[in-house]
Amino acid sequence: MTQTLFGDGAIRRTSLLGSSIENTYAGVLSFMRRNYTRELAGADVVVSGVPLDLSTTFRPGARLGPAAVRAASVQLAELKPFPWGFDPFEELAVTDYGDCWFDAHNPLSIRDTITEHARTILASGAKMLTLGGDHFITWPLLIAHAEKYGKPLSLIHFDAHCDTWPDDNRDSLNHGTMFYKAVNEGLIDPARSVQVGLRTWNDDFMGIPRIDAPTVHEIGAQATLERIKAIVGDNPTYLTFDIDCLDPAFAPGTGTPVPGGLTSAQALHIVRGMTDVNLVGMDVVEVSPPFDNSEITALAAAHIACDLLCVLASRKKAGLA
């Protein structure tokens, strides 16, 4: 039996399992009220933030994203998530590790700091769910995940942008070139990876299959899901969700919005169908609260992150993770 707590379970709960009864408008704002702790023993999944926006090419503000997503997650901790109908924290031991600290005034140290942050968590045996921050953070996270799970990983990449523009300077901070580097460094297998929701052009997509946004609209969410699963198979897979994959109508609070994107309903349908995918790591990035309206972008990101946890809980219940 897990204990029932009334209020501030994030700092009062003694078990990593179970949920607390909270006033949604009050209390400590960990992600979905999970225990705020740096203790890693016993955790299945560790949530952490990387509040970086030094790599953006247009609008800043994603450094405030992790805090906004945590705040938006309070509703999701109140009831059993829809459409799952179960409390994922009865199955899945999830903690909130807080944020990765890096020296924002020493930019060339940031990549390695994020990688070391991830190495520490992954060494415990826990999986990571990371809240961005701009999309640059996925590259150092992939470095640590590829070390842990073996090269090359599959990548499921939701985005308006391919992020494979050429960049041979390993020290550059650029949120549009990470997967160019990840392919060239052998971190991901382009043939067993997939990009979903794209609506920008690149002369060289690095051999990664694409299901662009018009195609998703044409074939539908379920057919898109089946294509994704056919591409990645059972390969260890890292999933990264740039919130600008969604149309600006559903996610205005982001650094580089592009019209014509996925609806939140399409994205959630696809993510919820990932229970057959061997997910080894996940992130949700590019929420920029200064450009958000009524926190709808942060809310969409929190729902996606919650559904990813429910996917992992379902896999654990089925003995798959």
Side-chain angles (χ1 to χ4, degrees), residues 6 18 26 33 35 43 80 92 109 121 125 134 144 155 158 160 170 180 190 212 237 239 263 267 297 310 314:
F6 291 84
R33 310 290 192 178
N35 295 26
K80 294 177 180 177
L92 206 63
S109 69
I121 294 171
D134 68 47
L155 180 73
F158 292 86
R170 199 167 191 273
Y180 174 89
D212 60 26
T237 299
L239 186 150
T263 68
T297 310
C310 290
S314 292

Side-chain angles (χ1 to χ4, degrees), residues 52-277:
L52 175 73
D53 64 3
L54 299 179
S55 312
T56 53
T57 52
F58 188 33
R59 306 191 307 196
R63 66 181 63 189
L64 305 176
V69 175
R70 286 185 175 103
S73 75
V74 292
Q75 290 186 76
L76 298 168
E78 184 179 20
L79 301 170
K80 294 177 180 177
F82 176 87
W84 304 92
F86 61 78
D87 179 353
F89 307 121
E90 293 295 331
E91 289 287 335
L92 206 63
V94 181
T95 69
D96 191 327
Y97 194 82
D99 288 346
C100 171
W101 188 92
F102 53 82
D103 186 352
H105 306 290
N106 184 9
L108 294 184
S109 69
I110 291 174
R111 180 195 64 231
D112 292 343
T113 300
I114 297 171
T115 300
E116 192 58 38
H117 166 81
R119 286 175 178 143
T120 297
I121 294 171
L122 293 173
S124 74
K127 291 185 169 68
M128 294 184 70
L129 169 59
T130 307
L131 309 176
D134 68 47
H135 212 162
F136 174 84
I137 72 170
T138 303
W139 176 38
L141 291 171
L142 277 172
I143 292 171
H145 280 79
E147 289 173 356
K148 171 71 175 180
Y149 293 100
K151 301 178 184 180
L153 301 172
S154 291
L155 180 73
I156 300 175
H157 173 203
F158 292 86
D159 208 322
H161 311 87
C162 62
D163 296 337
T164 52
W165 286 285
D167 180 3
D168 294 315
N169 180 356
R170 199 167 191 273
D171 290 328
S172 69
L173 289 172
N174 188 326
H175 72 162
T177 66
M178 310 81 60
F179 303 124
Y180 174 89
K181 294 173 179 176
V183 170
N184 284 337
E185 293 179 7
L187 304 177
I188 61 174
D189 180 352
R192 298 191 71 180
S193 299
V194 59
Q195 297 179 311
V196 184
L198 300 193
R199 45 201 190 277
T200 49
W201 187 258
N202 188 351
D203 289 337
D204 183 2
F205 289 98
M206 306 290 290
I208 303 174
R210 306 180 307 283
I211 310 173
D212 60 26
T215 301
V216 176
H217 298 320
E218 179 182 351
I219 68 175
Q222 184 59 34
T224 299
L225 172 63
E226 296 305 326
R227 287 193 187 183
I228 292 169
K229 293 194 292 186
I231 291 168
V232 303
D234 60 358
N235 204 44
T237 299
Y238 189 95
L239 186 150
T240 181
F241 198 108
D242 186 327
I243 204 66
D244 73 23
C245 179
L246 303 184
D247 188 86
F250 303 92
T254 191
T256 46
V258 183
L262 273 60
T263 68
S264 54
Q266 288 172 319
L268 290 170
H269 180 99
I270 296 167
V271 168
R272 288 167 180 164
M274 295 285 178
T275 53
D276 294 335
V277 177

